[in-house]
Amino acid sequence: MAQLIGGLATSHIPAIGGAIHRGAQNEPYWKPFFDGFPPIHQWLGKVKPDVVVVFYNDHGLNFFLDKMPTFAVGAAATYSNADEGWGIPTLPPIPGCQDLSWHLINELIAKEFDIVTCQEMLVDHACTLPFKLFWPEHEVAPVQIVPININTVQFPLPTAKRVYKLGKAVGEAIQSWQSDKRVAVMATGGLSHQLDGERAGFINKQFDLQFLDSMETNPEWATQFSDLELVEKAGTQGVELLMWLAMRAALTAAGSGVRKVHSNYHIPISNTATGVLALETV
Ligand code: DHB
Ligand code: FE
């Protein structure tokens, strides 16, 4: 059986790609953000996942507002990036793990999740940048991926409760995958931020820290909130924290609990309160 070894989460702001490209990691603006990663690099070097299931939200590169799936699972052999217009370099394709994709798709549909299956899927900054952050030494991270897109772009969004259930079902499917691979789950997005409207620039440190804490001690905490309450508390784009909830719910399938490897919280990068987290299953 496959082994679900732990979870990763990070913010996914496009400007991070520019900073990596320019080698600006040690500049005063960027250092407090990039300093969150070395302890996680060390852990990844030790636990060496083979496959990463990535919960992320596409921002218009693969799915546009005319056709917006609530949940979509990748089943491609490779996932290409493309120019999104942020002025950051396009990254090389990431290899997919089709065997796990199809196992997840079969298990999720059997459990009544009406997902969209994507045998071709472009991946945007939300899926590509985290691999540059967690595996900075590699041109392409030494893993295969299964991307799972959760709509946080156009209302109606899936509820936090539903996202939690999806995450748990994904974790259970990973656990039942007939493979000797080591699997990690990853979430990208958040934490609090709002890019437009009257509250542009909105950040809520108190809520973010409570949410980060809940990842360790009380994983279902955020499921008490409706999507509109999450937007009120975390901002219109801060609702991306639903990915973190899916990642954490997946880990509950692994058994007894989690140990925090490392976390970091820093305000701001661009318009966003940034969070980074690694959890190991125990
Ligand atoms: C920013 C944050 C995001 O989550 C995103 O997808 C794009 C931009 C930002 O803060 O600039
Ligand atoms: Fe985003």
Side-chain angles (χ1 to χ4, degrees), residues 21 53 108 227:
H21 185 59
V53 176
L108 288 174
D227 287 328

Side-chain angles (χ1 to χ4, degrees), residues 12-14 59 86 125 189-190 193 195 237 240 269-272:
H12 63 215
I13 304 143
H59 300 70
W86 297 103
H125 66 278
H193 62 299
L195 300 181
Q237 281 73 37
E240 290 175 344
I269 293 296
S270 183
N271 292 293
T272 301

Side-chain angles (χ1 to χ4, degrees), residues 23-277:
Q25 291 91 330
N26 286 315
E27 289 178 4
Y29 181 83
W30 289 101
K31 195 171 173 353
F33 171 72
F34 282 98
D35 276 354
F37 288 86
I40 302 177
H41 299 154
Q42 267 187 354
W43 176 68
L44 286 170
K46 204 176 63 184
V47 295
K48 291 188 172 51
D50 304 299
V51 183
V52 180
V53 176
V54 190
F55 296 102
Y56 79 109
N57 61 296
D58 182 84
H59 300 70
L61 182 67
N62 192 75
F63 303 110
F64 202 61
L65 304 182
D66 58 338
K67 298 177 200 70
M68 183 56 68
T70 302
F71 300 130
V73 180
T78 62
Y79 298 93
S80 292
N81 183 218
D83 185 358
E84 297 174 67
W86 297 103
I88 56 175
T90 301
L91 293 170
I94 310 177
C97 180
Q98 286 179 297
D99 192 41
L100 179 56
S101 285
W102 285 110
H103 177 68
L104 283 179
I105 288 163
N106 282 312
E107 292 296 302
L108 288 174
I109 290 179
K111 287 189 176 161
E112 302 176 354
F113 288 92
D114 303 318
I115 52 168
V116 173
T117 298
C118 302
Q119 298 188 59
E120 287 184 4
M121 198 174 184
L122 289 174
V123 289
D124 74 358
H125 66 278
C127 185
T128 56
L129 287 183
F131 290 94
K132 283 288 180 208
L133 288 167
F134 288 121
W135 284 272
E137 305 297 325
H138 293 80
E139 178 68 6
V140 179
V143 294
Q144 294 180 322
I145 68 164
V146 177
I148 301 184
N149 179 75
I150 300 178
N151 168 35
T152 54
V153 168
Q154 176 168 254
F155 270 81
L157 313 183
T159 63
K161 272 202 179 87
R162 184 67 174 155
V163 167
Y164 192 91
K165 284 182 188 161
L166 175 84
K168 186 159 175 284
V170 167
E172 287 163 358
I174 293 168
Q175 293 277 98
S176 69
W177 182 35
Q178 300 283 333
S179 167
D180 59 5
K181 300 275 198 252
R182 298 163 63 75
V183 184
V185 280
M186 182 195 283
T188 98
L191 294 172
S192 63
H193 62 299
Q194 171 142 350
L195 300 181
D196 43 29
E198 277 177 22
R199 291 203 311 170
F202 174 79
I203 276 172
N204 186 345
K205 181 175 180 181
Q206 195 195 351
F207 177 78
D208 286 339
L209 293 181
Q210 226 171 339
F211 178 74
L212 260 179
D213 194 49
S214 77
M215 288 285 105
E216 245 187 296
T217 56
N218 185 7
E220 289 185 54
W221 177 76
T223 63
Q224 68 183 291
F225 301 117
S226 71
D227 287 328
L228 283 177
E229 284 170 331
L230 287 175
V231 166
E232 191 176 35
K233 288 174 191 304
T236 41
Q237 281 73 37
V239 75
E240 290 175 344
L241 58 78
L242 287 174
M243 313 306 154
W244 293 51
L245 198 57
M247 176 279 287
R248 183 61 184 87
L251 297 183
T252 62
S256 43
V258 296
R259 176 186 79 83
K260 181 165 92 174
V261 176
H262 189 67
S263 70
N264 191 45
Y265 182 76
H266 171 67
I267 300 172
I269 293 296
S270 183
N271 292 293
T272 301
T274 62
V276 182
L277 176 67

